[in-house]
Amino acid sequence: MIAPEPPEALADPPSDSEVRSRLRLVSIGWALLAGICAGLFSLGWGLEEAVRSGGCGVFYGLLAFHLQRVDPDDGHLQAGLVGAVCGVHSLGLPLNLETLQADALASLLVELLKAWLPLIGSAVLLHGTHRFLPASRP
């Protein structure tokens, strides 16, 4: 009769500092991904706009990661976060009075689209990547 093999030793669970370190790296990864994507999406409108969008994208990525950890199923809160960061970005836009005098509504709409589209695209790409790569889940 063959003696049964002893069960393999279970791996030690990671320590609290290892988990925190891993989460910190993932958080930074989300922030960099969102910032780079937002910056690249708005690069066509100039370097200044790309830097502004990239900065807001980094901010969005950090917040989105921590929101995902707290309540991953709250889509309304995630959409609100995108809107809030886009609003913050819109507040930082330079006001060009010459173009606003000609056709105020059209100019304002174009400026808002230039501010919002890169961040919305970044958010869609970030959350799409998160959905399709199960290993990236916190």
Side-chain angles (χ1 to χ4, degrees), residues 45-104:
W45 289 299
L47 186 60
E48 182 180 347
E49 185 62 34
V51 170
R52 285 176 196 256
S53 293
C56 286
V58 167
F59 179 61
Y60 169 75
L62 286 173
L63 291 174
F65 171 75
H66 293 287
L67 175 65
Q68 186 70 28
R69 284 190 58 215
V70 172
D71 192 0
D73 296 327
D74 194 348
H76 290 93
L77 192 55
Q78 292 175 3
L81 176 62
V82 173
V85 173
C86 287
V88 167
H89 182 75
S90 298
L91 290 173
L93 289 177
L95 185 61
N96 190 349
L97 293 176
E98 291 101 27
T99 58
L100 282 178
Q101 291 172 355
D103 191 3

Side-chain angles (χ1 to χ4, degrees), residues 105-125:
L105 187 58
S107 297
L108 184 61
L109 186 61
V110 167
E111 290 298 321
L112 286 177
L113 284 176
K114 285 167 56 174
W116 286 51
L117 284 179
L119 291 171
I120 292 171
S122 174
V124 168
L125 186 66

Side-chain angles (χ1 to χ4, degrees), residues 8-53:
E8 293 181 26
L10 297 176
D12 291 333
S15 69
D16 190 43
S17 65
E18 290 173 348
V19 170
R20 286 174 135 340
S21 176
R22 184 184 151 287
L23 289 175
R24 211 173 294 124
L25 287 175
V26 173
S27 175
I28 291 169
W30 275 49
L32 290 176
L33 179 64
I36 289 170
C37 291
L40 289 176
F41 284 145
S42 63
L43 196 56
W45 289 299
L47 186 60
E48 182 180 347
E49 185 62 34
V51 170
R52 285 176 196 256
S53 293

